[in-house]
Each structure stands twice: as C-alpha cells, then as structure tokens.
Amino acid sequence: MRHHVKHYFRRHEPKGHVHLHLKSCIGAILAMSAVGALATVTHLPLLIAPFGASAVLLFGQPKSPLAQPANVIGGYFVAALLALGVTMFFPGIWLAGAVGVGLAIALMLALRVTHPPAGAVPLVAIAGQMNGAVLLEVVMIGSALLVAIATLHHLIPPRQQYPIRIEESPAPVE
C-alpha cells in the first residue's frame, strides 16, 4: 500500500531558484494589478478567478505548452463561446456549467489550444450570470492583457523564452 501512496506525494517539478520564484511573484502581482486597474476604469468584471490560475502558468511555468499565447487566448475564446451556447440552451441550470466544462475540454483538446484555467469559464458564466457579450469581452481582454504582460515580463533578466519559439525546418531545395 505504501508503495502506491508515495506516488501521490512525489514532487515532479524540478527545484527552482529563489530569484526566479520572486520574479514570478512580482510578475503575477503586476499582471493582476493591471487587470484590476483596467476593471476599475472600464467597469467590466475582469477580475475572475480563472485569470489567477492563468497567472500561475504564465509567470510560474512559461515554458509549458498550456501557457503559450495561442493556448491562453484560444482556450479562453473557445470556453467563452461554449459557455454562451450552453447558457442559451440551459439558462439558469447548474447542468449548463457541467456540460460547458466538458465541451470546453473536448474542443480545446481538438483544436490544440488547451488552457486549463479556461475550463472554468462556463462556471463563471453560470455563477456570475454575465451576459454573453460581457463574458466574451472579459475573457478576451483579460487573456490578451495577461499574455502581453507575460511577454514583456519574460524579457526582463533573468530572461525566459516566452513564447516558446518553434524550430522551423528549412525549405526543401528543388
């Protein structure tokens, strides 16, 4: 039994450096402050819980495929569209959240834009009872702002490559 339990408690992340952890902390504080400030100016409910989870990936795990710009913005877009759809078909019903989360996962995986925090958007739509246009506006503005700040943040030393560069193969010689 002990042999099976130890796998639940094993740390899979490599040990990091304190200065990188502090840099991640500062980046997340700045990004969430910018989102909060924009929320105050625009009167949009931009401070939604999934953005906090996105900050973990963007500033703490920037090399993760799940933290790449296409995944962040694309994942939020897909989840918001699905949230709009399920709330139209199941208005005010908790089942809409469950169906929305499941469909968001399936479509994000199919489109290869998986961003786990975006999976919570259908729940935000049900719990926050945001109308469709506001929800779409919130997730698109917020996700784009977080990606922009993360891009600038990772240019500050010690630099981390963000977004991940795709190695392009040379064109075939004819």
Side-chain angles (χ1 to χ4, degrees), residues 79-166:
L81 288 180
L82 285 168
L84 298 178
V86 296
T87 55
M88 284 188 343
F89 288 108
F90 305 107
I93 300 174
W94 62 265
L95 184 60
V99 170
V101 170
L103 290 174
I105 291 169
L107 194 53
M108 283 190 288
L109 288 168
L111 296 173
R112 296 178 22 228
V113 292
T114 306
H115 184 65
V121 169
L123 301 177
V124 169
I126 296 297
Q129 299 179 348
M130 277 189 235
N131 75 45
V134 171
L135 178 67
L136 193 57
E137 192 175 15
V138 163
V139 299
M140 296 316 298
I141 290 170
S143 63
L145 181 58
L146 289 174
V147 166
I149 292 169
T151 301
L152 294 173
H153 171 79
H154 292 300
L155 292 174
I156 298 168
R159 290 181 175 204
Q160 290 199 36
Q161 189 178 75
Y162 183 82
I164 296 173
R165 307 292 189 261
I166 297 173

Side-chain angles (χ1 to χ4, degrees), residues 27-45:
I29 290 170
L30 293 173
M32 296 314 296
S33 295
V35 172
L38 187 60
T40 302
V41 171
T42 63
H43 303 290
L44 286 171

Side-chain angles (χ1 to χ4, degrees), residues 50-71:
F51 288 159
S54 293
V56 173
L57 289 169
L58 288 166
F59 298 99
Q61 298 291 333
K63 289 186 169 111
S64 168
L66 305 174
Q68 300 311 301
N71 291 65

